[in-house]
Each structure stands twice: as structure tokens, then as C-alpha cells.
Amino acid sequence: MGTAAARALSSRGRAVLLLERFTFGNANGSSGGPTRNFRLTYHDPVYVRMARQALDRWRRLESEAGLELLRVVGGLDVGEATDSSAAALEAAGEAFERPSASEVAERWPVLRFDEGAAFLYQPEGAILRADEAIGAQVGLARAAGAELRERTVVDSLRPTGEGVELVTSGGDVIQAPTAIVAAGAWAAPLLRDVGIDLPLRPTLEQSTYFRMEGSAIPTIIDWDAAPSQPPYLVPDPFQPGEFKAGSHLSGPVIDLDARSFDPDADREASTIAWVGGRLASQPQLVQTETCLYTTTPDEDFVIDRIGPLVVASPCTGHGFKFAPLIGEVLADLATGEQPPIPLDRFRADRPALRV
């Protein structure tokens, strides 16, 4: 979200300084890795409409960067929750299909589901090249004049009469009219020091990577298997035969200063078992990687301006797909312009976030 905002602001001729505590595309936070899922399918038409706007901006980013970042594979949702997704898609004017179990089996012979399962297929489901997307945003921001510093930790920030003052771990004091805080799991402690107390919960999530010969498959979310922690499968069309799988929001709360990069063996075994039950042939296990989620109590984003600070926490494990849209929104908030989406739902002072 930070690189997206830097790109949006610098493209408008604004002076931009971006501070990254690690490196761009690092494995410490939530945005690194080869792929992310893009989907129009949501249980709420607000997010469906946002995803449509984000898709337009992904295509614009591809054009500006001269690089393919998103490839369509289709998205298949499974379970009773597909009824609410169908209603949301219909309310937003988006196309979808409701195939039967036999139709799913005929179209994707490698998949295995119960005969009575409900399905929703959205043909514009896609895969994003995550590392390349961040790199594209970085490159375009720099080309437009933004200054981007890696390995720079912000120790503190405070509002002043003329804007905001930041102090880095290296002792640099930086003053600016506005600061956008898009620090992911590190946002809560940074904002707490200036009286903005958000109940953001960092958890250690993981995805297991596999390799399998065979035909192309769509992205899959299996809502019936575990409605609050649904298993997912994300193919990599840029590396045919490779895919990752895991369970959404299934990891423990962690201490950011003492996180492990070691995967949990029980969750890995659970993912392997789920994958084995959904595929006609056993895939080859490649590896399991960890990443962070930053979750709000209602699983909605936090996007708001409070004085000279713009708070950006599009999080809860489903934010990456919106990056170029959110970057534009953050730029609008920073410059006092009208964002392209309504933001009341994402206010920092909404009842669900009161602690």
C-alpha cells in the first residue's frame, strides 16, 4: 500500500519520501512472495465494486510498467456461503455461474468435491505477481521523482503545528505536511504513541506450495470445510503446475519482535490432507512459507485521515488485490481530494474498533 501511494502521489507531481523498515518485497510482512489471489467474488457488494475498480487500475499499472502482472484463471467458491456471494455479485452487476458438481467435474477433472456441494464460478478470478507488482510500483514512483529509502525504521511520529515530525532509528528528523502510515503489522504500536489506538491483531499465517502435472485449475475457496478459516488453493499460471494452499486466518497471534519463520507442522499437515482430498492425484510437496496477517475485529480495512496522519491498514489477509486503488485513495486523503470510493465503512473511529 505504501508503494502504491508513493506511485499515485509522485505521478501527481507531489514530493514523496517513502520509508521502508526492511526492503521492498521482503518476507517479513504481508506483501512478499510470488503470487496473490485476485477476485471479484465477495460476500458484500461494497468489496465487489472496489475489486472492479482495482482491476481497472491493475491493468493501467501493467500498461505503465510494460509488464504482465495479472493473469486470469477464474475463481471457484464452494459451499453454502456462495449464496451470499452470488447476491453480492448480482447487486454489483457482475457476471457469475452456478455450476453443478457434475459440471465442475467435467470442466476440471482433477478436482474432487461432494456431489451435493454448491458452487459459484466467477470467470475474472486471477493471479497477481506480487513481487513484480511491488517492483513496478517502486520503479514508477522513483521514475516520477519519489525518494524511497529501504532499511529505515521510523521510531516515532508526532503531529506538529505544521504537519508531522518523524524520527528514524538512525536519528534523522523528518518533517512533512502529511504522513501516510501503511506499516502493516507495525502500524498499531506506531499509531498508539500518538493516541490512535487500533485493535489490529498480527497473526502468523502460512501457505504450502505444491507441484503437480495436469490441466489448469481455478483459484478455490472451500467455505464448507471451515467457514471462519476456509482452505484455499491458488494456482500459479506463470509457473504451470505449481500452486499454493492454506487456511485463511488460521494462525496464532504473535509478538512482532520475536516472530518465527518456521511453519507449523500441524497446519501444514492439515493443508496437505485438504489438498489430497480435493485433487484426483497427489501433488509433490515443495515447501511451506510464513507471512503476517494484520486483522481488525470486523475484518474490514482501516482507511482514514486523522489530522496530518493518513491511516492505511487494508488488511485481514484480503487487501493486496486492492493495492493500486487504495494507493489512489491514500493519495487523495493526503492531498485533500475526493477519493473514488466511500470510506465511512473504513473509519478508524467506527464502533467495531473501539477498545
Side-chain angles (χ1 to χ4, degrees), residues 9 46 64 74 120 129 157 164 173 182 185-186 274 316 325 337 352:
L9 284 164
V46 170
E64 292 179 16
L120 184 148
R129 300 170 72 189
L157 72 163
V164 62
V173 178
W186 288 265
W274 176 78
T316 314
L325 171 64
E337 300 177 47

Side-chain angles (χ1 to χ4, degrees), residues 17 24 29 49 79 96 158 163 170 189 193 198 202 237 259 264 312 323 331:
L17 171 63
F24 298 118
R49 296 186 185 101
F96 61 92
R158 67 179 185 88
D193 290 342
L198 298 176
R259 70 159 286 185
D264 177 81

Side-chain angles (χ1 to χ4, degrees), residues 5-25:
R7 169 189 167 234
L9 284 164
S10 59
S11 71
R12 303 177 189 184
R14 298 284 181 161
V16 178
L17 171 63
L18 176 60
L19 307 177
E20 164 60 55
R21 70 182 292 126
F22 300 110
T23 59
F24 298 118

Side-chain angles (χ1 to χ4, degrees), residues 235-252:
D236 186 348
F238 302 97
Q239 298 290 334
E242 296 187 5
F243 66 90
K244 67 180 179 181
S247 292
H248 178 66
L249 279 176
S250 62

Side-chain angles (χ1 to χ4, degrees), residues 111-245:
L111 299 182
R112 294 289 183 268
F113 290 101
D114 295 339
E115 182 62 33
F119 299 92
L120 184 148
Y121 177 71
Q122 210 293 319
E124 291 176 277
I127 302 302
L128 289 160
R129 300 170 72 189
D131 285 339
E132 286 81 359
I134 294 171
Q137 293 181 154
V138 167
L140 290 169
R142 281 182 168 144
E147 180 184 353
L148 282 65
R149 300 183 193 173
E150 298 177 288
R151 298 184 177 88
T152 303
V153 177
V154 175
D155 279 347
S156 66
L157 72 163
R158 67 179 185 88
T160 66
E162 299 179 349
V164 62
E165 180 180 276
L166 294 79
V167 180
T168 72
S169 58
D172 292 333
V173 178
I174 300 165
Q175 295 181 332
T178 308
I180 298 173
V181 181
W186 288 265
L190 196 58
L191 291 166
R192 192 174 299 123
D193 290 342
V194 293
I196 303 173
D197 198 359
L198 298 176
L200 302 178
R201 190 177 67 130
T203 58
L204 187 65
E205 307 297 330
Q206 64 186 49
S207 294
T208 300
Y209 290 78
F210 300 86
R211 185 177 296 114
M212 179 184 68
E213 299 298 327
S215 59
I217 53 177
T219 65
I220 298 169
I221 298 184
D222 189 351
W223 297 99
D224 274 357
S228 62
Q229 298 177 350
Y232 60 84
L233 186 153
V234 177
D236 186 348
F238 302 97
Q239 298 290 334
E242 296 187 5
F243 66 90
K244 67 180 179 181

Side-chain angles (χ1 to χ4, degrees), residues 281-299:
S281 58
Q282 280 293 344
Q284 175 188 353
L285 174 65
V286 178
Q287 64 180 346
T288 297
E289 294 182 348
T290 63
C291 72
L292 300 184
Y293 274 19
T294 308
T295 306
T296 59
D298 57 6
E299 297 187 25

